[in-house]
């Protein structure tokens, strides 16, 4: 057997690449290197703007030329960095050498020694990661998350008045509406969405052990913390003044914990929709050309929701691991975060793939209102809750002397199937006020949904 040509190992880079390709713009090796170049460029501009170490402020054209190294970053730079790193065996040093090379055609050789000035690799890396992760979340993951919530909102509105038999512990229970149940997920997810949108993205730029030692040695008269703060905040990040060699990664742990929480709520949504499909409440709309089973041609499998389930589990497992491990670094620095952070894109990729499947899946189902009505009409015993509650209210109001209404209804309904005639006969014999009796005689399972419909309005 001849060997295969080189193959990708992750299905995110193979089978599912089309669904997650946008993340590669930020959370790939190339995306990280472009962000590193951005940090190096902006640090050069920061130093020269202050005329430090014999430099002079750059002209507008010179700044534009420098910043074009970021906007024009492409395959040539990717290949050149790979060649440089093959020699240096150090990814950030390769970026520094690339920068120095690019200064020559720009006529900026005179400031080449300010490239990577007083910076440890982690000064560049922590800012690059903060930039790429924030861009990936804001530009790719959150829009897909919002699209999923929007699709759920639409269905919650469409099905807000569609009564259905609830199932607590998997057993027939007080009815609700499909719209209200979907609105529960919208409310949960929107709350997490706000937390993710408010997450901080922090950065440091303070040298090898977070003390500005090299900076002060080079020029003790400069207010280096102020320069660092202005630089980091100028990148659109929050400034962390107290660190070791590395930025402490707490903001990352917080973010990944929130995304993992969102994943788990989405997992709950996927299993609930799968169950509603299983019991027939949702019909799956056949897709042209699709095959459900290789041997059973009648089947339409809920693969969108099953795929989402699995990918949400993978995403949370990885993001939870990142959140747990990134907050620990031995003494002033160890390298464990270096390789783990390279998997940030994988964690978000599995979540994004799940979101894509959920959005598609929600667009391929339809409510079977006839089955919902049939289920309600064959489970009149669920009105036992309403009847015993009304009796208790009547006893408390002095219009009944019935002892232990709950036990009375338990005897009538527990473990039994009863019909409308059974309940009508039972209610007619009750010692309760006429108004209460009339309300109970008018009650049906389909009408016993309380405020389920108007509760959807709490979504705003």
């Amino acid at each position: 057997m001849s060997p295969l040509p080189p193959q990708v190992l992750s299905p995110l880079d193979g089978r599912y690449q089309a669904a997650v390709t946008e993340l590669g713009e930020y959370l790939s090796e190339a995306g990280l290197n472009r962000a590193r170049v951005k940090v190096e460029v902006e640090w050069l501009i920061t130093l020269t703007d202050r005329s430090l170490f014999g430099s002079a402020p750059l002209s507008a054209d010179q700044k534009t030329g420098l910043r074009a190294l970021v906007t024009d970053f492409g395959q040539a730079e990717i290949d050149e960095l790979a060649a440089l790193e093959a020699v240096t065996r150090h990814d950030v040093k390769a970026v520094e050498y690339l920068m120095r090379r690019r200064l020559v055609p720009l006529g900026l050789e005179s400031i080449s020694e300010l490239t990577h000035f007083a910076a440890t690799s982690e000064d560049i890396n922590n800012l690059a990661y903060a930039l790429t992760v924030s861009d990936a979340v804001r530009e790719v993951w959150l829009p897909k998350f919002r699209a999923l919530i929007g699709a759920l909102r639409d269905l919650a509105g469409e099905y807000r008045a569609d009564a259905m038999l609830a199932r607590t512990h998997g057993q027939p229970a007080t009815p609700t509406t499909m719209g209200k149940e979907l609105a529960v997920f919208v409310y949960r997810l929107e709350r997490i969405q706000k937390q993710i949108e408010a997450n901080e993205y922090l950065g440091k730029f303070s040298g090898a052990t977070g003390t500005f030692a090299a900076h002060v040695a080079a020029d003790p008269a400069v207010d280096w913390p102020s320069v660092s703060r202005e630089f980091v905040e100028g990148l659109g990040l929050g400034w962390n003044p107290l660190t070791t060699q590395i930025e402490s990664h707490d903001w990352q742990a917080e973010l990944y914990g929130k995304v993992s929480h969102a994943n788990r709520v989405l997992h709950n949504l996927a299993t609930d929709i799968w169950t509603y499909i299983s019991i027939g409440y949702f019909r799956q709309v056949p897709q042209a050309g699709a095959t459900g089973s290789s041997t059973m041609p009648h089947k339409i499998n809920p693969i969108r929701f099953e795929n989402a389930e699995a990918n949400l589990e993978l995403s949370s497992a990885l993001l939870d691991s990142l959140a747990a491990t990134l907050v620990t670094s031995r003494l002033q620095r160890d390298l464990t975060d270096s390789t783990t952070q390279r998997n940030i894109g994988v964690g978000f990729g599995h979540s994004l793939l799940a979101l894509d499947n959920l959005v598609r899946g929600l667009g391929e189902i339809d409510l079977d209102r006839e089955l919902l009505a049939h289920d309600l009409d064959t489970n009149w015993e669920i009105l036992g809750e309403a009847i015993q509650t009304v009796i208790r209210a009547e006893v408390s109001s002095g219009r009944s002397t019935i002892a232990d209404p709950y036990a009375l209804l338990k005897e009538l309904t527990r473990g039994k199937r009863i019909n409308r005639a059974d309940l009508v006969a039972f209610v007619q014999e009750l010692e309760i006020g006429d108004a209460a009796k009339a309300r109970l005689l008018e009650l049906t399972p389909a009408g016993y949904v309380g405020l389920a419909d108007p509760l959807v309005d709490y979504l705003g």
Side-chain angles (χ1 to χ4, degrees):
M1 182 183 294
S2 60
L4 295 170
Q7 299 294 309
V8 298
L9 285 178
S10 170
L12 295 178
D13 295 318
R15 182 181 184 89
Y16 304 126
Q17 198 270 342
V20 300
T21 186
E22 289 179 277
L23 282 176
E25 186 70 21
Y26 309 105
L27 299 180
S28 61
E29 187 75 12
L32 178 63
N33 276 330
R34 181 176 60 188
R36 286 166 167 159
V37 171
K38 178 182 175 71
V39 174
E40 296 280 10
V41 164
E42 295 303 325
W43 183 232
L44 266 177
I45 292 173
T46 294
L47 294 172
T48 53
D49 276 351
R50 290 162 174 76
S51 301
L52 292 172
F53 309 108
S55 67
L58 302 179
S59 68
D61 286 345
Q62 287 173 322
K63 289 181 180 179
T64 298
L66 269 179
R67 287 171 172 147
L69 300 181
V70 181
T71 56
D72 296 344
F73 188 94
Q75 193 60 51
E77 287 70 27
I78 293 170
D79 294 342
E80 188 171 350
L81 281 170
L84 284 167
E85 188 177 347
V87 176
T88 64
R89 303 295 180 184
H90 196 289
D91 48 4
V92 178
K93 202 65 179 175
V95 170
E96 178 189 344
Y97 288 165
L98 176 77
M99 283 289 300
R100 287 172 177 266
R101 288 180 177 181
R102 293 297 188 270
L103 291 178
V104 176
L106 292 173
L108 296 174
E109 303 99 312
S110 62
I111 62 170
S112 62
E113 285 305 321
L114 294 183
T115 303
H116 201 69
F117 183 82
T120 184
S121 298
E122 182 58 16
D123 284 331
I124 307 303
N125 276 339
N126 88 95
L127 297 176
Y129 271 115
L131 290 171
T132 55
V133 173
S134 63
D135 283 346
V137 171
R138 292 165 177 162
E139 302 299 325
V140 182
W141 190 87
L142 270 172
K144 198 67 164 181
F145 189 58
R146 294 187 191 109
L148 181 277
I149 294 173
L152 274 177
R153 264 186 170 270
D154 290 344
L155 292 177
E158 182 179 352
Y159 301 142
R160 60 182 296 159
D162 287 302
M164 72 173 189
L165 188 68
R167 283 179 165 80
T168 58
H169 306 280
Q171 306 303 307
T174 299
T176 180
T177 69
M178 180 61 80
K180 178 261 177 183
E181 296 309 304
L182 296 180
V184 169
F185 284 105
V186 175
Y187 187 85
R188 295 173 72 186
L189 293 169
E190 286 185 341
R191 182 172 172 274
I192 302 170
Q193 174 192 322
K194 292 174 184 175
Q195 295 171 5
I196 293 172
E197 289 171 340
N199 201 87
E200 290 184 291
Y201 297 84
L202 301 180
K204 60 85 69 174
F205 204 88
S206 50
T209 58
T211 64
F212 297 99
H215 305 69
V216 173
D219 191 338
V222 175
D223 183 355
W224 287 109
S226 293
V227 173
S228 172
R229 180 172 192 156
E230 290 177 23
F231 172 56
V232 172
E233 291 181 348
L235 294 171
L237 305 172
W239 181 60
N240 187 343
L242 286 167
T243 72
T244 59
Q245 183 177 110
I246 71 166
E247 199 288 319
S248 305
H249 303 326
D250 293 327
W251 70 262
Q252 291 194 58
E254 292 156 4
L255 174 65
Y256 306 151
K258 290 165 189 170
V259 175
S260 183
H261 183 189
N263 285 344
R264 290 191 167 91
V265 175
L266 292 169
H267 188 281
N268 191 182
L269 170 69
T271 57
D272 274 12
I273 298 295
W274 186 97
T275 303
Y276 289 137
I277 291 171
S278 176
I279 62 178
Y281 282 9
F282 279 126
R283 294 182 295 245
Q284 294 185 95
V285 180
Q287 303 302 300
T291 297
S293 165
S294 62
T295 186
M296 294 175 281
H298 69 284
K299 294 188 72 179
I300 306 176
N301 294 331
I303 56 172
R304 296 292 183 194
F305 302 100
E306 292 170 343
N307 182 290
E309 257 190 80
N311 279 286
L312 290 165
E313 290 165 2
L314 288 169
S315 175
S316 284
L318 189 48
L319 293 176
D320 288 346
S321 178
L322 288 168
T325 59
L326 285 177
V327 294
T328 298
S329 185
R330 293 174 184 85
L331 303 180
Q332 282 67 55
R333 207 271 192 269
D334 68 42
L335 208 61
T336 52
D337 64 338
S338 178
T339 190
T340 53
Q341 287 184 105
R342 293 180 189 277
N343 291 282
I344 294 169
V346 182
F348 276 98
H350 284 292
S351 182
L352 188 70
L353 176 58
L355 285 168
D356 182 71
N357 273 287
L358 287 171
V359 170
R360 290 171 181 266
L362 290 176
E364 297 171 359
I365 57 176
D366 189 30
L367 195 64
D368 189 336
R369 292 182 170 90
E370 290 184 7
L371 182 56
L372 264 63
H374 176 268
D375 261 12
L376 288 165
D377 197 46
T378 54
N379 283 277
W380 281 75
E381 63 276 6
I382 59 174
L383 296 180
E385 178 196 40
I387 297 169
Q388 65 96 8
T389 304
V390 169
I391 295 173
R392 293 177 66 183
E394 291 293 289
V395 172
S396 181
S397 301
R399 290 187 291 270
S400 176
T401 60
I402 295 175
D404 199 351
Y406 180 88
L408 184 66
L409 269 297
K410 179 179 175 182
E411 177 66 24
L412 175 69
T413 62
R414 192 164 191 254
K416 302 175 184 177
R417 279 289 177 86
I418 59 177
N419 56 32
R420 182 179 186 279
D422 296 326
L423 278 185
V424 167
F426 179 79
V427 170
Q428 286 176 335
E429 298 299 320
L430 288 175
E431 179 211 350
I432 57 177
D434 291 342
K437 185 174 292 188
R439 288 200 308 276
L440 290 178
L441 289 171
E442 291 176 0
L443 198 58
T444 66
Y448 185 45
V449 293
L451 302 175
D453 183 335
L455 279 172
V456 176
D457 292 329
Y458 280 94
L459 292 179

